[in-house]
Amino acid sequence: IVNLHVHIGDCFSGLDQYDEAREKYEDALDLHLKIVGESAGNDTKTSLEAVLRHNIGNMHAKVGMFREAMQDYEYALKIKCDLGGDSHPECALTLNAIGALLASQGDLQGSLAIFFTKQFF
């Protein structure tokens, strides 16, 4: 059922229906957290949670909710780096999204700093 919500969210995103996509990603996240909490504990972080939070950040960014997008990306990045290490490709994807978000808001220095983070060389 979690995957079904993700796929529906992906479909909505492909149709440029970002609020609907975000809702589906949030539904998937809520259900996933409930399942993980019951089986492994509420403090357990997973790669799926990180990906869902990144996707939710993407949807926030698409509708101009930049503060919320940044919060989502930063949370996703922490989980991804904690689970896979700083040089994991998933961390790079989220750093790229953060850099693009900063650039779209006119923070070119901040964007360049993200794009040239030494930990990924």
Side-chain angles (χ1 to χ4, degrees):
I1 293 175
V2 171
N3 286 334
L4 180 60
H5 285 291
V6 173
H7 293 309
I8 294 169
D10 291 344
C11 289
F12 277 130
S13 177
L15 295 170
D16 297 337
Q17 296 178 10
Y18 304 120
D19 288 326
E20 293 85 350
R22 179 185 43 79
E23 288 175 11
K24 284 300 168 187
Y25 293 140
E26 288 173 346
D27 290 344
L29 179 61
D30 290 343
L31 185 55
H32 175 71
L33 292 176
K34 181 178 180 185
I35 293 167
V36 169
E38 290 173 358
S39 63
N42 289 329
D43 293 332
T44 303
K45 301 299 177 198
T46 66
S47 57
L48 180 56
E49 177 184 357
V51 169
L52 288 169
R53 291 187 184 278
H54 178 104
N55 289 355
I56 292 166
N58 285 344
M59 297 308 102
H60 277 133
K62 293 281 191 181
V63 297
M65 299 174 70
F66 301 126
R67 183 178 49 87
E68 292 84 351
M70 186 61 76
Q71 290 171 343
D72 295 323
Y73 289 148
E74 288 173 347
Y75 198 76
L77 181 63
K78 178 171 179 14
I79 295 171
K80 288 177 176 185
C81 291
D82 286 350
L83 293 177
D86 290 347
S87 61
H88 193 280
E90 279 291 326
C91 297
L93 288 174
T94 299
L95 277 172
N96 187 47
I98 290 170
L101 182 65
L102 291 171
S104 74
Q105 294 180 282
D107 183 357
L108 301 181
Q109 292 296 335
S111 178
L112 286 173
I114 293 294
F115 288 134
F116 290 104
T117 299
K118 290 182 183 179
Q119 64 194 7
F120 291 97
F121 293 122

